[in-house]
Amino acid sequence: MTTARHKTSTGAGRVAAPSRTRTPVGTGARAGGGGAESVDPAELPVRAGEDPWTSEEVAELHAELITEMERLQAEIDASEAAITGLMRDSNDGAGDDQVDAGTKNISRESELALANNARDSLAQTERALARLENVGFGVCESCGQAIGKARMQAFPRATLCVQCKAKQERR
């Protein structure tokens, strides 16, 4: 069995070695020990003019994040299986011309890129779920203001408000 590997931040700009084991999400510090039921919707920030979060919206968002994590893990597993097959097939290259070898390399690199993108998305999704179950969900990491309920519902992995994200993209 293979496990996904991803970088984790250790602060001060350093990156820890990738982990070989998956840390279970859902062990939140809020009352109830984690999960959607432990999240108090009143604790989640909203922007001026937005309706407060409801328990149903939080539960729906929590379920969406869990489903996304499962989908991404399945995508990673499929990509890793494809990569293994491509690596095995690359050894059977007797009689291949340059085009065949190039096609195999492109296929292998494409699968590696897909797997890496899925790993990055999985890490972001796990982080969003941990923020939802603990502290920090819906708060901009740059300015500390509310990101906005509508933005969080559309893109629950968001860590920046629209204004800070626009500033980041202009750089």
Side-chain angles (χ1 to χ4, degrees), residues 23-53:
T23 304
V25 180
T27 56
R30 292 185 176 160
E37 65 282 349
S38 68
V39 179
D40 180 5
E43 291 180 14
L44 298 176
V46 293
R47 297 183 71 98
E50 290 182 326
D51 293 331
W53 288 89

Side-chain angles (χ1 to χ4, degrees), residues 3-170:
T3 56
R5 299 174 76 185
H6 60 278
K7 296 178 183 177
T8 55
S9 176
T10 59
R14 297 176 299 172
V15 175
S19 172
R20 290 188 178 268
T21 58
R22 305 224 48 86
T23 304
V25 180
T27 56
R30 292 185 176 160
E37 65 282 349
S38 68
V39 179
D40 180 5
E43 291 180 14
L44 298 176
V46 293
R47 297 183 71 98
E50 290 182 326
D51 293 331
W53 288 89
T54 66
S55 296
E56 293 80 22
E57 290 169 333
V58 172
E60 181 180 325
L61 192 62
H62 190 271
E64 179 183 329
L65 288 168
I66 296 290
T67 302
E68 181 71 2
M69 282 176 42
E70 292 167 352
R71 183 193 67 77
L72 288 166
Q73 188 59 57
E75 186 177 322
I76 291 167
D77 293 344
S79 289
E80 287 177 349
I83 291 166
T84 301
L86 289 168
M87 296 300 277
R88 188 178 18 210
D89 292 345
S90 70
N91 294 333
D92 299 339
D96 284 353
D97 62 11
Q98 290 178 338
V99 174
D100 291 334
T103 300
K104 287 180 182 179
N105 283 338
I106 289 171
S107 296
R108 200 171 31 248
E109 288 180 17
S110 175
E111 283 298 329
L112 285 169
L114 288 171
N116 285 334
N117 287 342
R119 281 187 195 99
D120 289 344
S121 293
L122 179 61
Q124 290 174 2
T125 304
E126 288 174 336
R127 185 166 178 239
L129 187 59
R131 287 170 48 116
L132 177 63
E133 292 175 352
N134 293 299
V135 177
F137 186 80
V139 177
C140 179
E141 290 182 343
S142 180
C143 68
Q145 299 297 314
I147 292 175
K149 179 179 171 183
R151 177 165 166 76
M152 296 308 297
Q153 287 175 319
F155 187 66
R157 297 180 299 198
T159 59
L160 299 173
C161 65
V162 173
Q163 294 82 8
C164 290
K165 183 66 176 172
K167 286 179 195 174
Q168 180 190 53
E169 290 178 354
R170 281 195 296 263

